[in-house]
Amino acid sequence: MLAINFANAQEKLEKTDSSKIAVTDSIPKKKYHDIFIGVDLFNPIIGTFKDKKGFNTFLSYQINNKWHLVAEAGYEKNIFNEINWNVDVDGFTGKIGANWFITQDVENHSNGIYIGGRIAYTKYNQTVNSYPIRDLQSNELTGETGSRPKISLDAFWLEVVLGARVEIFKGFYGEMSLHPAAYLGGKKDDNIDPLVIPGYGKTNGPFNLPVFWGISYKIK
């Protein structure tokens, strides 16, 4: 009886072990939920030579292997000084959107090329230091100028994103992206179309091309 009981117990143990091996034999697929924080270096460097000065930061959360949610925030001061207009602007900008990786490094999935989109909003101050005055009847310039006080405005635009990320040393990544942008609208100063918008740039054309070039850090 003891021998029979031992044989039955041994058979049950072997079945249990084989079932455990069947369950744990396959390796579960790794889930990526990395967080990246980054800062733009392009605008601060350019700001030493131009009127446009500011900074931009971003936070990226990896939803899965391909998709990343992205939020950006920044501040910018700029001057429009052309065609008899002199305008100062300054304000904060926020953007939200996502990136989708087209290609990725096999050994490090954080490296790769991506496309994406953003919807952007800015709340800014505008001061018209001088503007040309036109004759109401002939619509010709009178040679005189006027000015308008500081006023609070806002603006919206959309961006398409094309970028790349590569690890430069442990945990730190180089970021480069182009953001073709299309102005949607916003609050105006007495129906005067904005000439320059923080985060967007000059509005003398249907599109603009903001650039992000900086560094990011991956938080495990």
Side-chain angles (χ1 to χ4, degrees):
M1 290 295 293
L2 288 174
I4 294 173
N5 289 337
F6 179 80
N8 290 335
Q10 184 68 21
E11 182 179 0
K12 289 181 180 180
L13 181 61
E14 290 176 356
K15 289 182 179 180
T16 303
D17 289 341
S18 62
S19 65
K20 285 183 180 180
I21 293 172
V23 173
T24 59
D25 190 44
S26 61
I27 300 174
K29 187 176 180 181
K30 182 179 178 180
K31 295 182 180 180
Y32 298 91
H33 294 292
D34 295 324
I35 299 174
F36 292 80
I37 55 173
V39 61
D40 177 41
L41 302 177
F42 180 77
N43 282 319
I45 293 173
I46 293 298
T48 60
F49 307 101
K50 294 189 175 183
D51 294 325
K52 185 175 75 170
K53 303 180 186 302
F55 66 89
N56 192 45
T57 62
F58 77 86
L59 177 68
S60 173
Y61 174 72
Q62 191 173 14
I63 304 174
N64 55 38
N65 190 33
K66 292 285 188 180
W67 283 100
H68 293 242
L69 285 178
V70 183
E72 300 184 35
Y75 174 81
E76 185 178 298
K77 295 177 66 176
N78 208 341
I79 297 173
F80 185 90
N81 191 15
E82 299 177 20
I83 56 175
N84 298 318
W85 285 81
N86 184 273
V87 181
D88 293 335
V89 296
D90 68 275
F92 290 92
T93 300
K95 303 177 186 179
I96 190 166
N99 294 334
W100 183 77
F101 274 77
I102 304 172
T103 63
Q104 291 173 293
D105 189 345
V106 176
E107 295 182 357
N108 185 349
H109 283 200
S110 296
N111 293 335
I113 298 173
Y114 56 84
I115 59 174
R118 306 280 189 276
I119 183 167
Y121 170 78
T122 181
K123 184 76 172 178
Y124 67 101
N125 299 312
Q126 174 180 282
T127 304
V128 180
N129 300 310
S130 66
Y131 67 90
I133 296 177
R134 294 181 178 271
D135 185 83
L136 294 178
Q137 295 181 346
S138 65
N139 199 34
E140 294 182 356
L141 295 176
T142 64
E144 299 179 352
T145 61
S147 62
R148 299 186 66 84
K150 180 186 290 188
I151 187 172
S152 180
L153 305 174
D154 58 24
F156 298 86
W157 65 92
L158 289 176
E159 296 180 356
V160 177
V161 180
L162 174 60
R165 174 192 291 152
V166 61
E167 188 173 25
I168 50 180
F169 52 93
K170 187 65 175 179
F172 288 89
Y173 292 77
E175 299 270 353
M176 170 67 182
S177 58
L178 303 177
H179 296 236
Y183 175 68
L184 297 180
K187 183 181 177 182
K188 299 179 181 180
D189 183 1
D190 195 21
N191 294 321
I192 299 175
D193 290 331
L195 297 174
V196 62
I197 299 172
Y200 179 80
K202 296 179 181 179
T203 60
N204 51 3
F207 300 101
N208 253 340
L209 188 60
V211 175
F212 184 98
W213 178 86
I215 191 170
S216 65
Y217 176 72
K218 180 167 72 173
I219 302 174
K220 294 288 188 177

